[in-house]
Structures are given as structure tokens and as C-alpha cells.
Amino acid sequence: MSNFLSGIAVILSILALGFSGFTAYQVFTLQEKIAAISSNAITGTSGSSQPETTAPVSPAASDTAATAPAATGIQPGQFVQSAIGNKAKLELLAVKRITDPEAKTRDVVNVQMRVRRLASEVSPNDSINVAGTKARNPDTSETYEPVDYKRSSGSVNLYFVRINASSDAYVWLRIPEGVTTIDLFIPDTGAFKNVPIAG
């Protein structure tokens, strides 16, 4: 009798061991699937983000113009100039014709830019008055002024931007609809020549 019971106990032990192994395998497989899903989610959200720190463009700019440089005819790194001596660099992101929301005309150009701080030491006076940007027709030398101070992001002060970080800015300029190329003059920044206007 004892041999029979011992045999039953051995069989039950083997079954329990097999079930435990199967359960462990299922748990391991489930963990791998969860890890893969988590990895894809992280890659999808953070893989496309830029490593730099940027200040957001004002809603007024993003509501009226595309922010993707590919849609503007300007390639990344195509228009870059030193600013405030060599304390910063300024890159044009987009120069696009938009519709004036009040007059419903197409004589407004939205200039979007990115200012990156390079210097480790700056003063509170080291700022770029984006609202003071002007444009010139390279063919006729006619100059064009900003639409309004309210139609710009104001000034970019390097003092409030961390080193190697950047801040985005924009300004609207009043430029006749037939003009397709301009020279841009942003305060305390090198001149940008023959900049194409998209749209």
C-alpha cells in the first residue's frame, strides 16, 4: 500500500513540476511582450524629439504657418548666421507667405527662427529684438517693415537661455504678394541674402 501511495505522490510531484515550468514559461513570454510594447512606445514618443531644449513658438505663429522646414523650401542649416557677436547663432526655420487674418490679403510673410546660445557668459543686455526685423527686395532695394509689434514673439534674451539650448521666435513682415525672394536683416545678426518665400 505504501508503495502505491509513494508512486502516486511521485506522479503528482512530476505533474506539479511540469505545470510550474509551463506557468513560468508563460509568465516569461508575457514579460517579454510587455517589454517590447513599452520599448516601442518610448521610441515612438522620444525618438523623434530633438535633444536640444527649445522654447515653444507662440500660438499666433503656429496657427498661421507650417513649422516643418521641408514645407517652406528652406533646408535645415541652409540659413544660419552668428548673432550678438559670437555669443549665439540664429537659424531661419521657415519663411512663408500667409493670409492677413484681418485684411484677408496675402501680403504677410511669417519668418520663423531659432536662436541658440553658444557663450557660457552673457549679460542681461544680450538680446535680439526680433520685432525689429526688416526685409529688402534684392532686385528693387525696396524695404519692408514688420506688420505690428504684437505680430512677433518680441525679444530673445540669451540671459534666460541655457548654454547650448535654443529659443524659437517669429515675426510677421508686410511684403507685397509678388515678391518671392528677400534679404533679411535681424537686429544684432548677420544678414540673410536671397531667402526664398514659400507659399
Side-chain angles (χ1 to χ4, degrees):
M1 185 69 179
S2 61
N3 289 338
F4 176 76
L5 292 177
S6 298
I8 294 295
V10 169
I11 292 172
L12 290 177
S13 298
I14 292 172
L15 289 175
L17 183 62
F19 182 76
S20 298
F22 178 75
T23 303
Y25 173 77
Q26 292 289 80
V27 170
F28 178 76
T29 303
L30 183 61
Q31 286 177 337
E32 283 190 328
K33 289 181 180 178
I34 292 174
I37 293 171
S38 299
S39 176
N40 289 340
I42 292 171
T43 303
T45 56
S46 64
S48 61
S49 63
Q50 298 179 349
E52 62 190 35
T53 303
T54 61
V57 177
S58 167
S62 57
D63 287 346
T64 55
T67 57
T72 68
I74 292 180
Q75 301 302 316
Q78 183 178 1
F79 292 99
V80 181
Q81 288 285 0
S82 296
I84 313 179
N86 289 317
K87 294 182 179 180
K89 71 175 181 179
L90 189 149
E91 178 180 1
L92 297 182
L93 300 179
V95 178
K96 184 174 182 180
R97 188 170 296 282
I98 60 175
T99 301
D100 187 323
E102 297 175 359
K104 307 302 179 185
T105 56
R106 296 275 294 171
D107 61 345
V108 173
V109 172
N110 184 4
V111 179
Q112 296 182 31
M113 62 197 78
R114 176 166 293 155
V115 180
R116 180 186 292 275
R117 174 178 165 179
L118 301 178
S120 57
E121 294 184 9
V122 296
S123 78
N125 296 324
D126 289 330
S127 64
I128 300 173
N129 180 24
V130 176
T133 299
K134 295 184 180 181
R136 181 181 65 194
N137 187 322
D139 297 324
T140 65
S141 295
E142 182 181 4
T143 58
Y144 310 112
E145 302 287 334
V147 172
D148 188 289
Y149 181 81
K150 296 177 182 178
R151 299 299 190 181
S152 78
S153 55
S155 296
V156 176
N157 194 318
L158 291 186
Y159 193 75
F160 300 107
V161 179
R162 291 185 295 106
I163 184 170
N164 293 324
S166 59
S167 178
D168 289 356
Y170 78 97
V171 61
W172 288 9
L173 300 175
R174 184 77 66 186
I175 300 175
E177 191 169 350
V179 179
T180 58
T181 304
I182 54 174
D183 296 336
L184 273 173
F185 303 96
I186 302 170
D188 298 303
T189 305
F192 294 96
K193 299 296 183 70
N194 297 312
V195 180
I197 300 174

